Amino acid sequence: MAPLPDVEGFPSLGDFRCFAPKLHVSRSILDLAEFKPQKSAVKKASGYTVTVQTHLDDVMKAVVRHHSDNWLCKPLQAVFRHIHAHPDHFRARFVTLCIWKPVGSGAPGERELVASEIGCCTGRIYTSMTGTCEESGAGSVQLAVLGAVLKLAGFTCWDFGMPMRYKQDLGGKLRGRREWLDLVAEHGAPPTLPLRLPDGAAEMGGRDVFARFSAAAAPPADVDAAARKALKLKKKEEKRQKGAAWREHGGDPPPAS
């Protein structure tokens, strides 16, 4: 394990610090097989750009500005920063997802952070930890985009943490401690997946993310064509059998079976 960094004002005990774990009595969990982005969020996604695994310090500053540092304190920020910078040293991976809006002329680099999230990946499980929203509507876009990116990347379980109404609206269902531990044993055991945009893109338009999500969810074209061909053959056979039955009875309707 890589040693954790010292933080000014918070001396370490050797190379380790201890943070008390928290296990909710019940938590909100979404099975990503059931995830569907809200239509309103998809419509609002135009004009936004998405990045993943970037600007951790900017996201943490935004979180502290909105929620204070009552839990995202300096030592914890240092831990997040260290684990984020050394993904190969830890099984869990801290990740960011950012939603950007162009400002000024909209030239490359002229943009502002309007919504963001910090989360943790373990196996096929993604846990939302904290986030922030700078303008109305951007938060719902961020959540919808995150769900789409998670599913495209192969994650199976989205852990929202403590229950809240908006999490329920996204499809989260309450799970007790025992159920949660069983989910962790099943979905957290495989090697941790990297969270990234489709094709490993550095950034992507919000609507482009949803377009890729819809394309992945649609049945393959050859399967759809095969289904149409099978239905056409079935109808043709039913018509042939009906004609044969009429001829067998001299043009009169065949008796009811």
Side-chain angles (χ1 to χ4, degrees):
M1 177 183 293
L4 298 179
D6 285 332
V7 181
E8 183 179 357
F10 297 89
S12 65
L13 300 175
D15 289 332
F16 300 91
R17 290 186 179 86
C18 180
F19 290 92
K22 181 178 181 181
L23 185 59
H24 295 288
V25 174
S26 62
R27 60 201 304 126
S28 183
I29 306 294
L30 172 62
D31 180 349
L32 282 164
E34 301 175 0
F35 171 76
K36 293 182 180 179
Q38 295 177 332
K39 293 181 179 179
S40 59
V42 175
K43 291 179 180 178
K44 293 175 184 175
S46 295
Y48 290 124
T49 302
V50 184
T51 62
V52 172
Q53 288 294 63
T54 64
H55 301 83
L56 175 64
D57 284 335
D58 290 335
V59 175
M60 291 196 294
K61 288 177 183 177
V63 169
V64 171
R65 184 170 63 249
H66 278 260
H67 305 298
S68 80
D69 62 353
N70 61 346
W71 86 269
L72 192 52
C73 56
K74 287 185 178 179
L76 191 56
Q77 290 180 42
V79 170
F80 281 12
R81 193 177 293 112
H82 185 73
I83 296 176
H84 185 264
H86 301 87
D88 295 334
H89 295 171
F90 302 91
R91 189 164 186 277
R93 297 183 180 180
F94 284 93
V95 299
T96 60
L97 184 138
C98 300
I99 303 294
W100 303 88
K101 179 181 178 181
V103 296
S105 64
E110 294 187 14
R111 59 187 184 182
E112 61 181 347
L113 184 64
V114 293
S116 58
E117 167 150 335
I118 300 174
C120 176
C121 303
T122 307
R124 291 343 184 222
I125 299 173
Y126 174 83
T127 297
S128 288
M129 301 189 71
T130 188
T132 183
C133 176
E134 303 287 345
E135 69 175 31
S136 177
S140 61
V141 172
Q142 178 253 310
L143 289 167
V145 165
L146 176 56
V149 171
L150 287 171
K151 192 166 182 178
L152 286 169
F155 286 83
T156 55
C157 183
W158 186 354
D159 169 29
F160 292 120
M162 63 182 292
M164 295 180 73
R165 177 57 187 270
Y166 81 89
K167 300 172 184 178
Q168 179 182 341
D169 292 341
L170 286 167
K173 293 182 173 58
L174 288 183
R175 296 287 185 265
R177 284 176 174 169
R178 183 69 263 168
E179 288 180 282
W180 166 240
L181 292 175
D182 289 342
L183 284 171
V184 170
E186 179 182 356
H187 299 274
T192 298
L193 290 172
L195 183 63
R196 57 191 176 195
L197 292 170
D199 300 327
E203 60 182 58
M204 184 173 284
R207 289 299 293 268
D208 294 331
V209 172
F210 291 126
R212 293 295 296 270
F213 178 82
S214 297
D222 55 343
V223 173
D224 194 37
R228 289 197 301 269
K229 183 177 180 180
L231 180 60
K232 185 177 180 180
L233 290 173
K234 180 181 178 181
K235 289 182 177 180
K236 185 176 180 180
E237 177 62 17
E238 289 175 348
K239 185 177 180 180
R240 186 194 67 77
Q241 292 179 1
K242 186 176 180 180
W246 276 77
R247 288 191 297 273
E248 183 180 345
H249 293 84
D252 295 326
S257 57

